PDB file of all heavy atoms in Angstrom:
ATOM      1  N   ALA N   1       0.832  -1.188   0.028  1.00 42.00           N
ATOM      2  CA  ALA N   1       0.022  -0.004  -0.005  1.00 42.00           C
ATOM      3  C   ALA N   1       0.863   1.264   0.010  1.00 42.00           C
ATOM      4  O   ALA N   1       1.981   1.236   0.446  1.00 42.00           O
ATOM      5  CB  ALA N   1      -0.917  -0.040   1.203  1.00 42.00           C
ATOM      6  N   THR N   2       0.269   2.323  -0.415  1.00 44.00           N
ATOM      7  CA  THR N   2       1.047   3.606  -0.482  1.00 44.00           C
ATOM      8  C   THR N   2       0.999   4.340   0.840  1.00 44.00           C
ATOM      9  O   THR N   2       1.739   5.296   1.033  1.00 44.00           O
ATOM     10  CB  THR N   2       0.427   4.518  -1.519  1.00 44.00           C
ATOM     11  OG1 THR N   2      -0.961   4.752  -1.228  1.00 44.00           O
ATOM     12  CG2 THR N   2       0.545   3.910  -2.892  1.00 44.00           C
ATOM     13  N   GLY N   3       0.309   3.893   1.789  1.00 46.00           N
ATOM     14  CA  GLY N   3       0.318   4.478   3.118  1.00 46.00           C
ATOM     15  C   GLY N   3      -0.417   3.653   4.111  1.00 46.00           C
ATOM     16  O   GLY N   3      -1.135   2.712   3.738  1.00 46.00           O
ATOM     17  N   ASN N   4      -0.241   3.968   5.347  1.00 47.00           N
ATOM     18  CA  ASN N   4      -1.026   3.173   6.376  1.00 47.00           C
ATOM     19  C   ASN N   4      -2.390   3.797   6.546  1.00 47.00           C
ATOM     20  O   ASN N   4      -2.580   4.677   7.316  1.00 47.00           O
ATOM     21  CB  ASN N   4      -0.209   3.183   7.656  1.00 47.00           C
ATOM     22  CG  ASN N   4      -0.826   2.297   8.733  1.00 47.00           C
ATOM     23  OD1 ASN N   4      -1.784   1.627   8.456  1.00 47.00           O
ATOM     24  ND2 ASN N   4      -0.210   2.258   9.912  1.00 47.00           N
ATOM     25  N   THR N   5      -3.327   3.210   5.876  1.00 46.00           N
ATOM     26  CA  THR N   5      -4.708   3.698   5.949  1.00 46.00           C
ATOM     27  C   THR N   5      -5.550   2.921   6.980  1.00 46.00           C
ATOM     28  O   THR N   5      -6.743   3.010   6.968  1.00 46.00           O
ATOM     29  CB  THR N   5      -5.380   3.541   4.558  1.00 46.00           C
ATOM     30  OG1 THR N   5      -5.363   2.212   4.179  1.00 46.00           O
ATOM     31  CG2 THR N   5      -4.653   4.422   3.521  1.00 46.00           C
ATOM     32  N   SER N   6      -4.809   2.170   7.853  1.00 55.00           N
ATOM     33  CA  SER N   6      -5.536   1.378   8.817  1.00 55.00           C
ATOM     34  C   SER N   6      -6.174   2.217   9.936  1.00 55.00           C
ATOM     35  O   SER N   6      -5.698   3.275  10.256  1.00 55.00           O
ATOM     36  CB  SER N   6      -4.538   0.351   9.467  1.00 55.00           C
ATOM     37  OG  SER N   6      -5.104  -0.270  10.633  1.00 55.00           O
ATOM     38  N   SER N   7      -7.308   1.720  10.440  1.00 66.00           N
ATOM     39  CA  SER N   7      -7.971   2.422  11.508  1.00 66.00           C
ATOM     40  C   SER N   7      -7.563   1.786  12.860  1.00 66.00           C
ATOM     41  O   SER N   7      -8.117   2.182  13.889  1.00 66.00           O
ATOM     42  CB  SER N   7      -9.500   2.331  11.333  1.00 66.00           C
ATOM     43  OG  SER N   7      -9.871   0.927  11.262  1.00 66.00           O
ATOM     44  N   VAL N   8      -6.599   0.922  12.844  1.00 78.00           N
ATOM     45  CA  VAL N   8      -6.153   0.236  14.075  1.00 78.00           C
ATOM     46  C   VAL N   8      -5.411   1.234  14.986  1.00 78.00           C
ATOM     47  O   VAL N   8      -4.454   1.923  14.489  1.00 78.00           O
ATOM     48  CB  VAL N   8      -5.261  -0.996  13.708  1.00 78.00           C
ATOM     49  CG1 VAL N   8      -4.636  -1.564  15.037  1.00 78.00           C
ATOM     50  CG2 VAL N   8      -6.010  -2.117  13.023  1.00 78.00           C
ATOM     51  N   THR N   9      -5.884   1.379  16.203  1.00 84.00           N
ATOM     52  CA  THR N   9      -5.222   2.350  17.109  1.00 84.00           C
ATOM     53  C   THR N   9      -4.503   1.593  18.221  1.00 84.00           C
ATOM     54  O   THR N   9      -3.699   2.199  18.885  1.00 84.00           O
ATOM     55  CB  THR N   9      -6.297   3.220  17.754  1.00 84.00           C
ATOM     56  OG1 THR N   9      -7.245   2.408  18.426  1.00 84.00           O
ATOM     57  CG2 THR N   9      -7.004   4.109  16.647  1.00 84.00           C
ATOM     58  N   GLU N  10      -4.777   0.248  18.375  1.00 88.00           N
ATOM     59  CA  GLU N  10      -4.066  -0.467  19.360  1.00 88.00           C
ATOM     60  C   GLU N  10      -3.986  -1.966  18.950  1.00 88.00           C
ATOM     61  O   GLU N  10      -4.728  -2.403  18.051  1.00 88.00           O
ATOM     62  CB  GLU N  10      -4.688  -0.371  20.785  1.00 88.00           C
ATOM     63  CG  GLU N  10      -6.010  -1.007  20.860  1.00 88.00           C
ATOM     64  CD  GLU N  10      -6.586  -0.996  22.251  1.00 88.00           C
ATOM     65  OE1 GLU N  10      -6.082  -0.245  23.090  1.00 88.00           O
ATOM     66  OE2 GLU N  10      -7.544  -1.788  22.541  1.00 88.00           O
ATOM     67  N   PHE N  11      -3.015  -2.653  19.533  1.00 91.00           N
ATOM     68  CA  PHE N  11      -2.883  -4.025  19.259  1.00 91.00           C
ATOM     69  C   PHE N  11      -3.053  -4.874  20.581  1.00 91.00           C
ATOM     70  O   PHE N  11      -2.772  -4.355  21.654  1.00 91.00           O
ATOM     71  CB  PHE N  11      -1.530  -4.378  18.644  1.00 91.00           C
ATOM     72  CG  PHE N  11      -1.274  -3.734  17.326  1.00 91.00           C
ATOM     73  CD1 PHE N  11      -0.515  -2.610  17.230  1.00 91.00           C
ATOM     74  CD2 PHE N  11      -1.814  -4.366  16.161  1.00 91.00           C
ATOM     75  CE1 PHE N  11      -0.363  -1.980  15.971  1.00 91.00           C
ATOM     76  CE2 PHE N  11      -1.572  -3.767  14.905  1.00 91.00           C
ATOM     77  CZ  PHE N  11      -0.829  -2.647  14.818  1.00 91.00           C
ATOM     78  N   ILE N  12      -3.446  -6.078  20.437  1.00 90.00           N
ATOM     79  CA  ILE N  12      -3.554  -7.022  21.590  1.00 90.00           C
ATOM     80  C   ILE N  12      -2.416  -8.044  21.354  1.00 90.00           C
ATOM     81  O   ILE N  12      -2.333  -8.740  20.334  1.00 90.00           O
ATOM     82  CB  ILE N  12      -4.892  -7.757  21.645  1.00 90.00           C
ATOM     83  CG1 ILE N  12      -6.040  -6.733  21.750  1.00 90.00           C
ATOM     84  CG2 ILE N  12      -4.881  -8.757  22.828  1.00 90.00           C
ATOM     85  CD1 ILE N  12      -7.403  -7.396  21.638  1.00 90.00           C
ATOM     86  N   LEU N  13      -1.521  -8.131  22.348  1.00 91.00           N
ATOM     87  CA  LEU N  13      -0.363  -9.079  22.311  1.00 91.00           C
ATOM     88  C   LEU N  13      -0.822 -10.395  22.930  1.00 91.00           C
ATOM     89  O   LEU N  13      -1.288 -10.473  24.043  1.00 91.00           O
ATOM     90  CB  LEU N  13       0.808  -8.479  23.073  1.00 91.00           C
ATOM     91  CG  LEU N  13       1.379  -7.155  22.543  1.00 91.00           C
ATOM     92  CD1 LEU N  13       2.509  -6.721  23.463  1.00 91.00           C
ATOM     93  CD2 LEU N  13       1.820  -7.300  21.083  1.00 91.00           C
ATOM     94  N   ALA N  14      -0.695 -11.490  22.084  1.00 88.00           N
ATOM     95  CA  ALA N  14      -1.162 -12.791  22.541  1.00 88.00           C
ATOM     96  C   ALA N  14      -0.353 -13.343  23.725  1.00 88.00           C
ATOM     97  O   ALA N  14      -0.820 -14.105  24.501  1.00 88.00           O
ATOM     98  CB  ALA N  14      -1.207 -13.750  21.374  1.00 88.00           C
ATOM     99  N   GLY N  15       0.937 -12.937  23.781  1.00 85.00           N
ATOM    100  CA  GLY N  15       1.840 -13.358  24.804  1.00 85.00           C
ATOM    101  C   GLY N  15       2.439 -14.740  24.497  1.00 85.00           C
ATOM    102  O   GLY N  15       2.282 -15.274  23.417  1.00 85.00           O
ATOM    103  N   LEU N  16       3.228 -15.252  25.491  1.00 83.00           N
ATOM    104  CA  LEU N  16       3.931 -16.473  25.285  1.00 83.00           C
ATOM    105  C   LEU N  16       2.989 -17.690  25.229  1.00 83.00           C
ATOM    106  O   LEU N  16       3.139 -18.614  24.462  1.00 83.00           O
ATOM    107  CB  LEU N  16       4.949 -16.700  26.410  1.00 83.00           C
ATOM    108  CG  LEU N  16       6.319 -15.970  26.225  1.00 83.00           C
ATOM    109  CD1 LEU N  16       7.119 -16.140  27.504  1.00 83.00           C
ATOM    110  CD2 LEU N  16       7.048 -16.520  25.020  1.00 83.00           C
ATOM    111  N   THR N  17       1.980 -17.729  26.086  1.00 80.00           N
ATOM    112  CA  THR N  17       1.059 -18.862  26.216  1.00 80.00           C
ATOM    113  C   THR N  17      -0.304 -18.395  26.648  1.00 80.00           C
ATOM    114  O   THR N  17      -0.445 -17.347  27.326  1.00 80.00           O
ATOM    115  CB  THR N  17       1.602 -19.825  27.182  1.00 80.00           C
ATOM    116  OG1 THR N  17       0.631 -20.929  27.270  1.00 80.00           O
ATOM    117  CG2 THR N  17       1.799 -19.210  28.595  1.00 80.00           C
ATOM    118  N   ASP N  18      -1.339 -19.116  26.299  1.00 80.00           N
ATOM    119  CA  ASP N  18      -2.659 -18.807  26.717  1.00 80.00           C
ATOM    120  C   ASP N  18      -3.175 -19.731  27.818  1.00 80.00           C
ATOM    121  O   ASP N  18      -4.357 -19.747  28.192  1.00 80.00           O
ATOM    122  CB  ASP N  18      -3.653 -18.896  25.502  1.00 80.00           C
ATOM    123  CG  ASP N  18      -3.623 -20.302  24.849  1.00 80.00           C
ATOM    124  OD1 ASP N  18      -2.896 -21.120  25.269  1.00 80.00           O
ATOM    125  OD2 ASP N  18      -4.421 -20.468  23.881  1.00 80.00           O
ATOM    126  N   GLN N  19      -2.226 -20.489  28.422  1.00 83.00           N
ATOM    127  CA  GLN N  19      -2.620 -21.366  29.493  1.00 83.00           C
ATOM    128  C   GLN N  19      -2.468 -20.723  30.886  1.00 83.00           C
ATOM    129  O   GLN N  19      -1.381 -20.332  31.233  1.00 83.00           O
ATOM    130  CB  GLN N  19      -1.723 -22.670  29.473  1.00 83.00           C
ATOM    131  CG  GLN N  19      -1.910 -23.535  28.254  1.00 83.00           C
ATOM    132  CD  GLN N  19      -1.221 -24.842  28.350  1.00 83.00           C
ATOM    133  OE1 GLN N  19      -0.813 -25.269  29.409  1.00 83.00           O
ATOM    134  NE2 GLN N  19      -1.057 -25.519  27.218  1.00 83.00           N
ATOM    135  N   PRO N  20      -3.584 -20.427  31.542  1.00 84.00           N
ATOM    136  CA  PRO N  20      -3.579 -19.670  32.736  1.00 84.00           C
ATOM    137  C   PRO N  20      -2.625 -20.321  33.813  1.00 84.00           C
ATOM    138  O   PRO N  20      -2.000 -19.507  34.592  1.00 84.00           O
ATOM    139  CB  PRO N  20      -5.016 -19.768  33.317  1.00 84.00           C
ATOM    140  CG  PRO N  20      -5.819 -19.989  32.059  1.00 84.00           C
ATOM    141  CD  PRO N  20      -4.968 -20.910  31.170  1.00 84.00           C
ATOM    142  N   ALA N  21      -2.475 -21.576  33.887  1.00 87.00           N
ATOM    143  CA  ALA N  21      -1.658 -22.272  34.882  1.00 87.00           C
ATOM    144  C   ALA N  21      -0.156 -21.938  34.781  1.00 87.00           C
ATOM    145  O   ALA N  21       0.610 -22.041  35.684  1.00 87.00           O
ATOM    146  CB  ALA N  21      -1.839 -23.754  34.864  1.00 87.00           C
ATOM    147  N   LEU N  22       0.214 -21.481  33.502  1.00 87.00           N
ATOM    148  CA  LEU N  22       1.648 -21.151  33.267  1.00 87.00           C
ATOM    149  C   LEU N  22       2.003 -19.724  33.453  1.00 87.00           C
ATOM    150  O   LEU N  22       3.173 -19.393  33.446  1.00 87.00           O
ATOM    151  CB  LEU N  22       1.963 -21.631  31.849  1.00 87.00           C
ATOM    152  CG  LEU N  22       1.979 -23.146  31.548  1.00 87.00           C
ATOM    153  CD1 LEU N  22       2.225 -23.351  30.045  1.00 87.00           C
ATOM    154  CD2 LEU N  22       2.957 -23.880  32.386  1.00 87.00           C
ATOM    155  N   GLN N  23       1.012 -18.864  33.550  1.00 89.00           N
ATOM    156  CA  GLN N  23       1.208 -17.470  33.607  1.00 89.00           C
ATOM    157  C   GLN N  23       2.115 -17.025  34.733  1.00 89.00           C
ATOM    158  O   GLN N  23       3.139 -16.344  34.529  1.00 89.00           O
ATOM    159  CB  GLN N  23      -0.072 -16.637  33.689  1.00 89.00           C
ATOM    160  CG  GLN N  23      -1.067 -16.870  32.452  1.00 89.00           C
ATOM    161  CD  GLN N  23      -0.551 -16.343  31.209  1.00 89.00           C
ATOM    162  OE1 GLN N  23       0.372 -15.412  31.169  1.00 89.00           O
ATOM    163  NE2 GLN N  23      -1.074 -16.740  30.080  1.00 89.00           N
ATOM    164  N   MET N  24       1.789 -17.324  35.965  1.00 92.00           N
ATOM    165  CA  MET N  24       2.588 -16.926  37.107  1.00 92.00           C
ATOM    166  C   MET N  24       3.939 -17.586  37.161  1.00 92.00           C
ATOM    167  O   MET N  24       4.906 -16.929  37.457  1.00 92.00           O
ATOM    168  CB  MET N  24       1.803 -17.205  38.465  1.00 92.00           C
ATOM    169  CG  MET N  24       0.561 -16.326  38.574  1.00 92.00           C
ATOM    170  SD  MET N  24       0.905 -14.554  38.296  1.00 92.00           S
ATOM    171  CE  MET N  24       2.073 -14.139  39.560  1.00 92.00           C
ATOM    172  N   PRO N  25       4.097 -18.880  36.862  1.00 93.00           N
ATOM    173  CA  PRO N  25       5.420 -19.478  36.882  1.00 93.00           C
ATOM    174  C   PRO N  25       6.290 -18.771  35.773  1.00 93.00           C
ATOM    175  O   PRO N  25       7.467 -18.477  36.108  1.00 93.00           O
ATOM    176  CB  PRO N  25       5.221 -20.954  36.492  1.00 93.00           C
ATOM    177  CG  PRO N  25       3.853 -21.233  36.972  1.00 93.00           C
ATOM    178  CD  PRO N  25       3.044 -19.944  36.786  1.00 93.00           C
ATOM    179  N   LEU N  26       5.727 -18.485  34.646  1.00 91.00           N
ATOM    180  CA  LEU N  26       6.517 -17.782  33.626  1.00 91.00           C
ATOM    181  C   LEU N  26       6.868 -16.400  34.040  1.00 91.00           C
ATOM    182  O   LEU N  26       7.948 -15.887  33.718  1.00 91.00           O
ATOM    183  CB  LEU N  26       5.763 -17.812  32.290  1.00 91.00           C
ATOM    184  CG  LEU N  26       5.713 -19.081  31.481  1.00 91.00           C
ATOM    185  CD1 LEU N  26       4.848 -19.031  30.288  1.00 91.00           C
ATOM    186  CD2 LEU N  26       7.118 -19.532  31.068  1.00 91.00           C
ATOM    187  N   PHE N  27       5.954 -15.715  34.720  1.00 94.00           N
ATOM    188  CA  PHE N  27       6.165 -14.358  35.213  1.00 94.00           C
ATOM    189  C   PHE N  27       7.362 -14.354  36.136  1.00 94.00           C
ATOM    190  O   PHE N  27       8.320 -13.552  35.995  1.00 94.00           O
ATOM    191  CB  PHE N  27       4.939 -13.823  35.994  1.00 94.00           C
ATOM    192  CG  PHE N  27       5.176 -12.572  36.669  1.00 94.00           C
ATOM    193  CD1 PHE N  27       5.153 -11.325  35.993  1.00 94.00           C
ATOM    194  CD2 PHE N  27       5.458 -12.503  38.028  1.00 94.00           C
ATOM    195  CE1 PHE N  27       5.351 -10.125  36.654  1.00 94.00           C
ATOM    196  CE2 PHE N  27       5.727 -11.323  38.663  1.00 94.00           C
ATOM    197  CZ  PHE N  27       5.677 -10.120  38.013  1.00 94.00           C
ATOM    198  N   PHE N  28       7.446 -15.221  37.124  1.00 95.00           N
ATOM    199  CA  PHE N  28       8.557 -15.276  38.034  1.00 95.00           C
ATOM    200  C   PHE N  28       9.844 -15.727  37.365  1.00 95.00           C
ATOM    201  O   PHE N  28      10.943 -15.237  37.753  1.00 95.00           O
ATOM    202  CB  PHE N  28       8.251 -16.111  39.218  1.00 95.00           C
ATOM    203  CG  PHE N  28       7.242 -15.518  40.209  1.00 95.00           C
ATOM    204  CD1 PHE N  28       5.973 -16.016  40.312  1.00 95.00           C
ATOM    205  CD2 PHE N  28       7.612 -14.421  40.923  1.00 95.00           C
ATOM    206  CE1 PHE N  28       5.023 -15.455  41.171  1.00 95.00           C
ATOM    207  CE2 PHE N  28       6.716 -13.838  41.833  1.00 95.00           C
ATOM    208  CZ  PHE N  28       5.404 -14.333  41.913  1.00 95.00           C
ATOM    209  N   LEU N  29       9.749 -16.577  36.405  1.00 94.00           N
ATOM    210  CA  LEU N  29      10.948 -17.075  35.644  1.00 94.00           C
ATOM    211  C   LEU N  29      11.601 -15.902  34.887  1.00 94.00           C
ATOM    212  O   LEU N  29      12.795 -15.620  35.042  1.00 94.00           O
ATOM    213  CB  LEU N  29      10.600 -18.175  34.714  1.00 94.00           C
ATOM    214  CG  LEU N  29      11.668 -18.656  33.788  1.00 94.00           C
ATOM    215  CD1 LEU N  29      12.865 -19.319  34.551  1.00 94.00           C
ATOM    216  CD2 LEU N  29      11.128 -19.670  32.697  1.00 94.00           C
TER     217      LEU N  29
END
């Protein structure tokens, strides 16, 4: 494209994993 005509104002980062049980162990690691 010739320019960024997107209306996106923010992004959502999926992160390393979507498994809740791994969130805190990975945080401390």
